[in-house]
Amino acid sequence: MYLLSQGVKTKNLASHLDISLSAVEKRKKQLKELFDIEDGQDESLLNIARKKGFI
């Protein structure tokens, strides 16, 4: 989430984290479910994470 909040694009996250793009997408999906994000937008995920103090 931190890298997303810093403006790193999803397709570039895999190289930053040394994992596959599908692993990045899977983790983002899990986080969106965990934070109950209904619209599926990364920005919504980041906003909730900021409000809860995760980033």
Side-chain angles (χ1 to χ4, degrees):
M1 272 192 293
Y2 176 76
L3 291 172
L4 278 176
S5 72
Q6 296 301 307
V8 176
K9 302 280 186 210
T10 299
K11 65 182 179 180
N12 297 329
L13 282 175
S15 63
H16 283 279
L17 300 173
D18 198 30
I19 59 176
S20 69
L21 182 57
S22 62
V24 170
E25 292 291 346
K26 182 178 179 180
R27 285 174 172 87
K28 278 182 24 182
K29 181 181 178 198
Q30 290 171 339
L31 286 168
K32 288 175 184 177
E33 288 174 2
L34 181 69
F35 287 112
D36 199 30
I37 306 299
E38 295 179 3
D39 64 9
Q41 297 296 314
D42 290 349
E43 192 61 36
S44 298
L45 172 62
L46 294 173
N47 287 336
I48 295 293
R50 283 185 190 106
K51 287 178 186 175
K52 294 188 179 217
F54 287 96
I55 51 173

